[in-house]
Amino acid sequence: DTDLIKIYVSANISNWIHTMLKTKNEICALLSLTPDGLNKLIQKDKKFPRPIKFGTSRQSHAYFDIQEVIEWVESKKAEREEV
């Protein structure tokens, strides 16, 4: 029974990670940007969420927390309304 619980918990954590963390390409598609456009946005806008890397290598995959990206979009909407 404990093995089944471990498998269930592991699967749920994996699903949560895939739901919460998005690749650079997924964020590009979400924001209608090219990869180069996203890089420029990250450089220009210091408030844009930084990617999370799961390794020290330059080639390690980088992921974005979708909730942070959503909050950034909401802050941009609020700025628009203030003008």
Side-chain angles (χ1 to χ4, degrees):
D1 283 339
T2 57
D3 286 340
L4 288 175
I5 292 171
K6 287 178 185 176
I7 291 169
Y8 176 78
V9 169
S10 178
N12 281 336
I13 289 171
S14 179
N15 286 340
W16 176 80
I17 288 172
H18 288 294
T19 302
M20 295 301 297
L21 300 179
K22 300 298 180 189
T23 66
K24 183 177 186 176
N25 287 339
E26 290 173 316
I27 295 300
C28 287
L30 180 71
L31 299 176
S32 298
L33 293 171
T34 64
D36 189 49
L38 180 58
N39 288 338
K40 289 177 183 176
L41 176 62
I42 292 169
Q43 289 175 348
K44 287 176 72 175
D45 189 338
K46 298 301 178 193
K47 292 182 181 181
F48 189 82
R50 296 304 183 247
I52 301 164
K53 290 186 87 166
F54 293 108
T56 56
S57 167
R58 182 181 154 122
Q59 296 171 336
S60 296
H61 288 286
Y63 298 90
F64 292 84
D65 182 321
I66 190 63
Q67 188 59 42
E68 291 178 356
V69 174
I70 291 168
E71 289 170 7
W72 176 82
V73 170
E74 291 299 323
S75 74
K76 288 298 185 186
K77 288 168 59 177
E79 287 176 17
R80 173 189 66 191
E81 292 168 2
E82 290 174 4
V83 175

